[in-house]
């Protein structure tokens, strides 16, 4: 019975998000625990005349770990790829190289069967796309971007000569997007971020999820220098220390959530899309326009953010302030 209710979301991913055409080869990268989702998507690819290929990989040990080389090569040679995994392979050379080679792809990290039936997947991606593109344009190439929240966040950075990325769940050749989060993001210039981040929404990794209490991060010269909080903060702090990689503290991204159907549930691609939220990505930035490859990429999510770019108020307490 559940497969029936999953079919609508699978159809949306195949036909709206990826835009699969007859005779196209679609590589579905998955794990055994996500097989029901991969099969629902493959069935829709087959129904419309495409050629679905399901490849099952061993779950990655950590987020941002590269998939096996043979999978990376397959991603480069297919028309489209769909990643349905628990541990993210989004911020990897495999994705970057596949996109550079002309493939188009979507990533469904931490996706559940329920997410294929309700929540962010129900949003009108086409209708929201213009807003997402405009936000990406306005946060890009700015001398100074300022992020604040009533909960104590106050972060400044430069995005000069950095592109804005509009991820609105629909892709063309040489593009990738997350689903169902709708977000505009930019990668700060390395070394320019400074201030304080107070995450009060979610850190959807390592089993942390929706935050019980705020986690505070001090940032100097583009790097996190301290992490303060309670139990959930300690989980993240310990994990980052164990990486033995200074780049995991890099301020890699500022992303603006724009999906009105997303809610904080503890899963990455739902939480990051919550309308009016902002997440600061740390670690790897190579898929976003930055230059850093780290041992991981995690997102620190804040509610009801205010954003000013080169003096222009773009969002105030979680509400977009410009018209399309």
């Amino acid at each position: 019975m559940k497969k029936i209710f999953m079919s609508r979301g699978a159809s949306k991913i195949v036909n709206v998000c990826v835009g699969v055409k007859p005779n196209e080869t679609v590589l579905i990268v998955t794990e055994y625990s996500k097989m029901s989702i991969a099969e629902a998507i493959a069935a829709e690819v087959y129904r419309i005349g495409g050629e679905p290929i399901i490849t099952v990989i061993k779950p990655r040990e950590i987020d941002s770990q590269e998939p096996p080389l043979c999978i990376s090569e397959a991603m480069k040679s297919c028309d489209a790829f769909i990643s349905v995994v628990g541990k993210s392979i989004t911020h990897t050379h495999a994705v970057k190289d596949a996109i550079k080679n002309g493939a188009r792809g979507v990533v469904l990290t931490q996706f559940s069967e329920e997410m294929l039936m309700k929540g962010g997947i129900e949003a009108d991606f086409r209708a929201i796309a213009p807003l997402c593109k405009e936000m990406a344009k306005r946060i890009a190439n700015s001398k100074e971007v300022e992020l604040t929240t009533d909960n104590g966040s106050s972060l400044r950075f430069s995005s000069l000569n950095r592109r804005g990325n509009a991820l609105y769940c629909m892709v063309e050749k040489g593009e990738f997007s997350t689903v169902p989060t709708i977000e505009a993001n930019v990668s700060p210039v390395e070394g320019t971020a400074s201030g304080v981040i107070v995450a009060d929404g979610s850190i959807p990794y390592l089993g942390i999820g929706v935050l019980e209490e705020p986690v505070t991060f001090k940032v100097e010269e583009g790097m996190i220098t301290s992490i303060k909080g309670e139990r959930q903060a300690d989980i993240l702090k310990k994990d980052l220390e164990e990486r033995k990689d200074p780049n995991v503290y890099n301020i890699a991204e500022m992303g603006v959530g724009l999906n009105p159907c997303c809610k904080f549930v503890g899963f990455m691609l739902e939480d990051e899309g919550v309308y009016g939220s902002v997440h600061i990505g740390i670690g790897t930035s190579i898929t976003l326009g930055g230059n850093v490859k780290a041992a991981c990429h995690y997102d620190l999510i804040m509610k009801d953010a205010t954003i000013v770019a080169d003096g222009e108020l773009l969002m105030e307490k979680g509400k977009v302030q410009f018209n399309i």
Side-chain angles (χ1 to χ4, degrees), residues 214-271:
V215 181
T216 301
F217 305 81
K218 185 176 180 181
V219 179
E220 297 177 352
E221 297 181 349
M223 306 289 281
I224 289 173
T225 57
S226 72
I227 302 173
K228 294 183 179 180
E230 302 298 330
R231 180 187 68 85
Q232 292 169 307
D234 290 340
I235 294 172
L236 178 63
K237 186 175 181 180
K238 182 175 183 291
D239 180 86
L240 293 175
E241 289 172 350
E242 291 177 347
R243 300 293 177 199
K244 305 298 183 183
D245 177 6
N247 284 340
V248 300
Y249 299 101
N250 172 58
I251 301 300
E253 170 194 14
M254 182 188 76
V256 185
L258 296 169
N259 188 330
C261 295
C262 284
K263 294 179 173 60
F264 287 115
V265 296
F267 292 125
M268 176 174 58
L269 295 181
E270 281 280 340
D271 293 6

Side-chain angles (χ1 to χ4, degrees), residues 92-106:
T92 60
H93 288 292
V95 168
K96 182 179 180 181
D97 293 345
I99 296 305
K100 184 177 180 181
N101 208 51
R104 61 192 194 278
V106 297

